Amino acid sequence: MTALDLSSPVAVVGTGTMGQGIAQVALVAGHSVRLYDAAPGRARQAAEAIGARLDRLVEKERLTAAERDAARARLRPVGELTGLADCALVVEAVLERLDVKQELFRALEDVVSYDCLLATNTSSLSVTAIGGALRVPGRFVGLHFFNPAPLLPLVEVVSGFTTDVSYATRAYETARAWGKTPVACADTPGFIVNRVARPFYAEAFAVYESQGADPATIDAVLRESGGFRMGAFELTDLIGQDVNESVTHSVWQSFFQDVRFTPSLAQRRLVESGRLGRKTGHGWYDHRDGAERPEPHTAEPAEPPAYVVAEGGLGPASDLLALIREAGIQVREEDEDNGTRLVLPSGGQLALTDGQTSVEYRDVVYFDLALDYREATRVALSHAPNTSPVTVAEATGLFQALGKKVSVIGDVPGMIVARTVARIIDLAVDAVAKGVATEEDIDTAMRLGVNYPLGPLEWSRRLGRGWAGSLLDELHEIDPSGRYAPSLALYRYACATDKREDTP
């Protein structure tokens, strides 16, 4: 099946923010759109709100006045479900309750034609379970838009257990015809984005709960070293702590309380206190008028070392060697198999975090992973309480000489960026292995859905196939709860090579 013809009317049921956004997308694409809401008068109010947004698009020269007028003429609120009888696609965006959605679609089956495509915009419920209430579940799919739907390009096209391939294809091609970037995925908890993204929040909260660093510092490291557009604390304040926690809890429960998806107790307390983020004026941060934003911890200036000894090529941090030389600091190189450390003049060592803690060693300072060490504006360091102050000062001065701000955090294994990226890669590889989606679609979904600087599989290829598994192995040894245990899929992914031995 190909995309819906523009002559085919589209219906949106549920006229909240998401429903209005989806309706606007279909309308601007050229369809006639019917709006229905169970609350009297809501559909008409939604039509007026969409009309006002079309006016703003004209003001911004994204639509012509003639296109706006034509779109308005194609938009019609209806007071009864029977008003949707001639629609070729109905998209539901109502309350996230299974019974409510099932009841709605059972009623729709009595109204629409036999080949009408039925779709849910659910973000947390099972597409299979919703469609299971239908007499003809093969025509039922998930069309998960991201908020705001008119602006964000990604649409997850979710096939339930009984979804017919032809209808999934029609949904996919229709989303693409509407100017969106669709990705195909199986019906699994969280689909792609809300499944793979859980560690971004979970690891930031875990570092905070262990008193490794404060929210402002963790956010700054994720942005300025990791390359993420926003940190986990500021992003969940924007989303709403209740909304973010609800998704986390739903994914955790749907995976039978898998420890890898365990919700955060600190976030639970935030929700219980009513501090839900921007919408209540207070979340992790105080958003009230006049409130001062806390600054991340930034180390005081320190003298750089006169030289460093590089034992090995520093692995994913190899670009640092060129930066150190450019800063006028001598680099003495020594061949060292699998070496990933710098020896400082004091005799202390500076190493890229590998999932271990500094307390295990006599005099080691770890530094965190960066998306791009040349472009990064901040680097995090960690060390044990008994690490020599001279070693800490030399490590701090070294990165400052490279033009970086330095945040010194607690002795956190895997630090901030590294443990987050490793867990994201693991969940992405696991999702591919279980047939949730292709590598390409997962990378696309994470770049477009949550603005990651790289897709997880792309990141893994840059870091080396074995990097994430090695770091998680070390974390799992320290914390054997299972939270950091690498998946079997990641192990197989790390072992895969272009040339395989014929015999063991």
Side-chain angles (χ1 to χ4, degrees):
M1 289 187 177
T2 57
L4 291 178
D5 190 272
L6 290 180
S7 63
S8 302
V10 171
V12 177
V13 179
T15 58
T17 301
M18 183 58 78
Q20 290 180 31
I22 296 170
Q24 181 181 328
V25 170
L27 194 64
V28 171
H31 290 273
S32 294
V33 176
R34 312 278 189 268
L35 290 176
Y36 173 80
D37 199 292
R42 286 285 299 275
R44 187 166 299 279
Q45 293 172 6
E48 292 172 356
I50 293 170
R53 284 202 288 272
L54 295 177
D55 288 339
R56 290 196 289 274
L57 290 177
V58 172
E59 292 171 2
K60 296 177 180 179
E61 299 183 347
R62 295 177 183 171
L63 277 182
T64 67
E67 289 170 334
R68 173 200 59 197
D69 295 343
R72 278 181 166 172
R74 295 193 303 270
L75 180 62
R76 180 160 63 90
V78 299
E80 302 291 338
L81 281 180
T82 52
L84 311 181
D86 63 338
C87 292
L89 166 63
V90 180
V91 183
E92 163 273 315
V94 302
L95 187 67
E96 284 286 272
R97 274 181 45 187
L98 180 61
D99 59 336
V100 172
K101 293 179 187 290
Q102 288 178 328
E103 182 180 355
L104 169 64
F105 282 109
R106 278 194 293 261
L108 281 167
E109 269 197 311
D110 294 331
V111 171
V112 299
S113 64
Y114 73 94
D115 63 344
C116 175
L117 177 61
L118 300 177
T120 175
N121 184 60
T122 185
S123 61
S124 60
L125 299 176
S126 164
V127 171
T128 301
I130 300 171
L134 301 180
R135 296 190 299 273
V136 187
R139 60 172 168 174
F140 187 75
V141 300
L143 273 179
H144 182 215
F145 289 78
F146 288 74
N147 194 27
L151 297 180
L152 294 186
L154 184 69
V155 177
E156 292 177 319
V157 181
V158 186
S159 293
F161 187 74
T162 54
T163 300
D164 189 287
V165 172
S166 63
Y167 282 97
T169 301
R170 176 184 287 179
Y172 184 97
E173 294 300 335
T174 297
R176 185 158 63 177
W178 289 358
K180 296 301 181 182
T181 303
V183 292
C185 65
D187 183 22
T188 185
F191 310 141
I192 298 174
V193 172
N194 281 330
R195 173 179 178 154
V196 177
R198 293 348 291 165
F200 179 73
Y201 313 107
E203 293 311 306
F205 298 161
V207 173
Y208 167 75
E209 289 175 325
S210 68
Q211 299 187 48
D214 60 279
T217 299
I218 296 170
D219 278 354
V221 172
L222 286 169
R223 288 194 315 270
E224 299 173 40
S225 184
F228 294 96
R229 185 167 296 184
M230 298 181 74
F233 296 90
E234 57 190 343
L235 180 55
T236 52
D237 265 4
L238 178 64
I239 294 168
Q241 298 302 330
D242 52 339
V243 174
N244 182 261
E245 193 213 26
S246 176
V247 173
T248 298
H249 196 271
S250 174
V251 172
W252 175 62
Q253 289 284 22
S254 297
F255 276 113
F256 308 105
Q257 299 185 359
D258 186 329
V259 68
R260 295 176 301 165
F261 300 101
T262 301
S264 161
L265 181 59
Q267 188 179 40
R268 175 91 290 263
R269 293 292 179 257
L270 205 64
V271 173
E272 289 174 339
S273 70
R275 294 187 170 186
L276 307 182
R278 289 181 180 273
K279 61 187 176 183
T280 61
H282 208 304
W284 295 109
Y285 298 106
D286 189 343
H287 300 281
R288 293 171 296 187
D289 290 343
E292 292 187 12
R293 180 70 174 263
E295 293 293 325
H297 170 76
T298 301
E300 294 295 324
E303 286 294 321
Y307 68 90
V308 295
V309 179
E311 295 186 348
L314 297 188
S318 59
D319 288 350
L320 282 176
L321 296 180
L323 294 178
I324 293 170
R325 290 188 178 96
E326 290 169 16
I329 298 171
Q330 183 184 6
V331 177
R332 303 173 184 172
E333 295 192 56
E334 293 185 1
D335 291 334
E336 182 83 14
D337 290 340
N338 300 317
T340 55
R341 62 183 181 178
L342 298 172
V343 179
L344 300 165
S346 63
Q349 299 176 18
L350 180 61
L352 174 63
T353 182
D354 57 5
Q356 300 182 68
T357 61
S358 294
V359 76
E360 300 173 65
Y361 301 98
R362 184 180 64 82
D363 199 16
V364 172
V365 173
Y366 281 111
F367 63 93
D368 206 352
L369 182 70
L371 172 68
D372 183 328
Y373 283 99
R374 184 173 292 278
E375 298 297 325
T377 58
R378 183 180 299 270
V379 173
L381 304 180
S382 71
H383 63 86
N386 62 348
T387 300
S388 165
V390 176
T391 299
V392 176
E394 287 180 335
T396 300
L398 174 65
F399 280 103
Q400 289 173 339
L402 308 185
K404 318 300 181 187
K405 296 177 182 177
V406 174
S407 290
V408 180
I409 68 171
D411 189 15
V412 177
M415 302 188 68
I416 298 171
V417 179
R419 68 196 285 176
T420 299
V421 171
R423 288 207 58 218
I424 288 171
I425 290 171
D426 185 31
L427 291 188
V429 170
D430 188 52
V432 172
K434 291 178 176 173
V436 174
T438 65
E439 289 189 14
E440 181 181 1
D441 276 357
I442 288 176
D443 277 352
T444 297
M446 301 313 291
R447 287 196 310 270
L448 299 184
V450 277
N451 290 310
Y452 283 7
L454 294 174
L457 283 306
E458 182 184 3
W459 221 329
S460 180
R461 289 189 291 270
R462 177 186 287 195
L463 294 168
R465 280 178 174 261
W467 176 83
S470 295
L471 188 132
L472 291 174
D473 273 334
E474 295 292 348
L475 286 169
H476 179 56
E477 185 172 340
I478 293 172
D479 176 6
S481 65
R483 178 186 180 106
Y484 300 103
S487 65
L488 176 59
L490 186 64
Y491 173 77
R492 287 173 169 160
Y493 175 81
C495 291
T497 60
D498 292 334
K499 295 181 180 179
R500 292 178 171 82
E501 298 291 338
D502 293 332
T503 58

